Amino acid sequence: MTHTSPSNAPHTLARKIRACRVHAFDSPATLEDLSLPSPEEGEVAVAIHAGALNFADTLMCTGKYQDTPKPPFTLGLELAGQITALGPNVTGLSRGQRVAVFAGQGGLASGGNFPTSRCIPIPDGLGYAEAAALQIAYGTSHLALSYKARLQAGERLVVTGAAGGVGLTAVEIGKLMGAEVIAIARGDEKLAIAQKAGADHLIDASAPDIRERIKSLGGADVVYDAVGEPLFEACFRATNPDGRILLIGFAGGNLPNLKPNHMLVKNITAIGFYWGAYLKFNPAPLRASLATLFDWAAEGKIKPHISHRLPLEQFEEGLDLLRTRKATGKVILEP
């Protein structure tokens, strides 16, 4: 790591980093050594202590994610670390400061240069792994439930994939917001994790009567769907009039079968949601949401569930945990 100094003046940075690189979508990602250049204007250099894996990383490897960069690029959407150098005219941040970064790429490495606009100071008492894990998973759920779905206390929230990286945060945040939470996940172990996060009711994803189970509990006011079909159909048919359905992701591999005529009759709203896009066209609600989440984390109201912590060299094992849906919560790679 580059030694820090008390001055905030930019200086030449010359060090090697290790990075998980994608060179072609028909070839596996590789771990390789790179030279880290000096940060440019509006950037800081960060020594990465933790990179959080997301399902999007598995899609980026094959070019199937909506925001996949052009190869070659370094995997890793979110990270946490310590600033080691400042680009020209950077203010408001300092060397040695701990920051979390939603980078979009570059997080699966031992270091990198990132825009200051994407750096969030890490509060005291919050570890690097937890800070890295917090942004996308918690940010997605909080902004989707509070800003888009307008979830109200006392409403009934159904969460599919409730033990996954984002699903588990939806359970936790929904409960914090005062909702009655129905968690859908596969198997007793995953359901127990969702219950520990605050779920009021548990439904196994392999059950043949999911629609009836939800309706027997009073139906869904809000559905947070990170899986797609076949769960979407059951949840949609169990949604109450004037309900809202959040389309978060399609981890099950199949797109939802939307039925506009049924939506019309029941006044159901389907809401597409992509968290990262707000940084480009409307960052204010995203930043406000993250500020709330970091306050909650510092106060101990939320705690990211990390199921695996692996060295950077085991990145392929980490990706496979997401591909096979064996992870519960977040997978963290630590250089």
Side-chain angles (χ1 to χ4, degrees), residues 2-3 10 34 43 47 81 104 139 149 163 170 219 222 224 258 262 288 300 311 315:
T2 300
H3 292 291
L34 300 172
E43 291 184 337
V222 175
Y224 181 103
L258 291 168
H262 292 181
F315 74 90

Side-chain angles (χ1 to χ4, degrees), residues 123-126 130-131 134 291-304:
D124 292 339
L126 190 62
E130 289 74 20
L134 183 66
T292 296
L293 290 170
F294 270 75
D295 286 344
W296 283 356
E299 295 166 6
K301 292 181 179 179
I302 57 175
K303 182 175 176 58

Side-chain angles (χ1 to χ4, degrees), residues 15-196:
R15 69 182 177 95
K16 295 286 187 179
I17 63 169
R18 300 204 79 194
C20 178
R21 301 281 285 173
V22 173
H23 286 275
F25 298 133
D26 57 355
S27 301
T30 57
L31 194 63
E32 57 192 77
D33 294 325
L34 300 172
S35 293
L36 183 67
S38 299
E40 298 180 356
E41 187 163 349
E43 291 184 337
V44 293
V46 176
I48 299 173
H49 289 254
L53 284 177
N54 292 274
F55 189 73
D57 290 303
T58 69
L59 300 178
M60 279 190 177
C61 289
T62 56
K64 295 178 180 177
Y65 187 58
Q66 59 261 30
D67 267 354
T68 300
K70 182 179 179 181
F73 63 89
T74 299
L75 287 169
L77 279 73
E78 57 185 341
L79 61 105
Q82 189 172 34
I83 295 175
T84 58
L86 307 173
N89 303 316
V90 168
T91 60
L93 295 170
S94 59
R95 291 197 195 107
Q97 188 171 10
R98 301 190 319 135
V99 291
V101 186
F102 171 63
Q105 59 174 296
L108 300 192
S110 60
N113 296 331
F114 304 101
T116 58
S117 61
R118 299 205 172 196
C119 296
I120 305 168
I122 300 174
D124 292 339
L126 190 62
Y128 286 115
E130 289 74 20
L134 183 66
Q135 298 169 89
I136 295 176
Y138 279 88
T140 293
S141 293
H142 183 258
L143 196 63
L145 291 173
S146 64
Y147 180 72
K148 294 294 287 185
R150 310 291 184 185
L151 178 68
Q152 303 297 308
E155 289 191 309
R156 198 167 295 105
L157 169 67
V158 172
V159 180
T160 67
V166 293
L168 197 62
T169 66
V171 171
E172 191 173 357
I173 289 173
K175 192 64 178 175
L176 268 175
M177 293 177 67
E180 180 182 346
V181 181
I182 301 172
I184 302 177
R186 191 172 299 276
D188 291 341
E189 181 181 354
K190 291 186 175 182
L191 287 171
I193 291 170
Q195 185 175 40
K196 187 176 179 180

